[in-house]
Amino acid sequence: AHAIRIGTKFDQPLFGQQALGGKLTGFDTEIGRTIAGALGISPDQVQWVEAPSAQREELIKQGKVDLVVATYTINDKRRQQVSFAGPYYVAGQSLMVKSGNNTITGPDSLRPTKARVCSVQGSTPAENIRKYIDPDQLTVFDVYSKCADALRTGQVDVVTTDNVVLLGFVASSNGGFKLVGNTFTREPYGIGIRKGDIAFCTFINNALTQAARSGVYANAWKTTAGKVTTQTPELPAFDTCS
Ligand code: GLU
């Protein structure tokens, strides 16, 4: 029997990626295992549930998962439906293009170059990018790996989402992709839980604090996303549990 159900991404290298055989690796899955461990639950008792961006609130509201750790930005719109522990990391939106592309330099270059942009349904980057482009420039899929495939095959020119999500696809592109420009949003990653469960929020925040003190948090980063980024992050200051 599974003691806890955790929603995460299954197709995002460095954060939540399912290997052949089913084992999940990534910073989010390590954070999930750490929270399970604090509850006295061993890694093999965790049931992982795929949580694509647009399904996260519903999975929590319908009780299909106990928590979501899935590159999940804390914002007020989502807070109307779920509560968040954390943040445990702060990312920022960026752009990914093919390595040979030198015409796209940042979000302001997307309209003049008529770039075809890909992002994911129900994500903050799919909303944030709209002010930089015309509606017909945007393609949305359910998961980011489909955007990466579309970039590879030339169906789109740009993939946009959080910098660290894109870095995972760059790392597995054999030199085919690169990031361009600076980050242009702030994306604090929270752990989504049932709305109003302040006791669980507080418990998770305490578990994260303990993981930072013991080195478990830094080690989770170094063995996953830290493989392609230089700086190991500090655990950010938490939001108030509400
Ligand atoms: N952090 C952003 C969001 O929660 C983008 C990454 C994702 O879609 O998981 O919408």
Side-chain angles (χ1 to χ4, degrees):
H2 291 107
I4 196 167
R5 296 155 306 162
I6 304 181
T8 196
K9 300 302 183 75
F10 280 15
D11 71 322
Q12 291 180 202
L14 309 179
F15 276 80
Q17 188 181 38
Q18 203 170 32
L20 290 173
K23 191 177 159 46
L24 279 162
T25 58
F27 186 58
D28 281 342
T29 50
E30 288 309 315
I31 294 290
R33 288 183 184 112
T34 300
I35 295 163
L39 289 160
I41 297 166
S42 65
D44 57 309
Q45 286 179 295
V46 174
Q47 182 184 352
W48 297 100
V49 177
E50 187 173 13
S53 298
Q55 291 179 34
R56 293 174 292 199
E57 289 86 16
E58 279 302 316
L59 285 169
I60 295 166
K61 286 193 335 191
Q62 293 176 10
K64 291 189 172 148
V65 297
D66 300 300
L67 55 133
V68 166
V69 194
T71 61
Y72 196 8
T73 296
I74 301 169
N75 66 30
D76 288 344
K77 191 175 162 207
R78 293 170 178 168
R79 274 211 168 106
Q80 291 172 8
Q81 301 185 65
V82 301
S83 288
F84 288 100
Y88 61 95
Y89 183 73
V90 181
Q93 187 170 351
S94 189
L95 307 176
M96 180 173 79
V97 298
K98 277 191 172 167
S99 296
N101 183 323
N102 295 314
T103 56
I104 293 158
T105 49
D108 292 320
S109 67
L110 296 174
R111 212 188 299 263
T113 57
K114 295 186 163 50
R116 297 163 300 170
V117 180
C118 190
S119 196
V120 159
Q121 188 73 40
S123 72
T124 52
E127 291 310 311
N128 295 328
I129 204 65
R130 288 178 202 272
K131 61 176 170 288
Y132 296 101
I133 58 177
D134 296 332
D136 65 348
Q137 285 181 265
L138 184 64
T139 299
V140 288
F141 290 118
D142 56 343
V143 292
Y144 292 107
S145 53
K146 291 185 187 169
C147 283
D149 288 341
L151 181 61
R152 195 171 298 116
T153 58
Q155 290 168 281
V156 299
D157 307 303
V158 184
V159 180
T160 189
T161 185
D162 302 335
N163 56 344
V164 287
V165 175
L166 295 174
L167 281 172
F169 290 107
V170 169
S172 47
S173 74
N174 265 310
F177 302 155
K178 66 179 180 185
L179 260 62
V180 289
N182 298 318
T183 57
F184 52 94
T185 69
R186 190 172 177 279
E187 310 290 330
Y189 287 178
I191 292 149
I193 57 173
R194 191 170 55 81
K195 186 170 164 60
D197 195 342
I198 290 169
F200 196 26
C201 175
T202 306
F203 179 89
I204 292 170
N205 285 349
N206 287 338
L208 291 171
T209 301
Q210 182 54 38
R213 283 207 192 108
S214 65
V216 164
Y217 173 87
N219 196 54
W221 181 267
K222 282 180 196 146
T223 56
T224 59
K227 287 180 185 166
V228 301
T229 58
T230 46
Q231 281 235 327
T232 302
E234 297 276 319
L235 187 63
F238 299 135
D239 295 350
T240 305
C241 287
S242 65

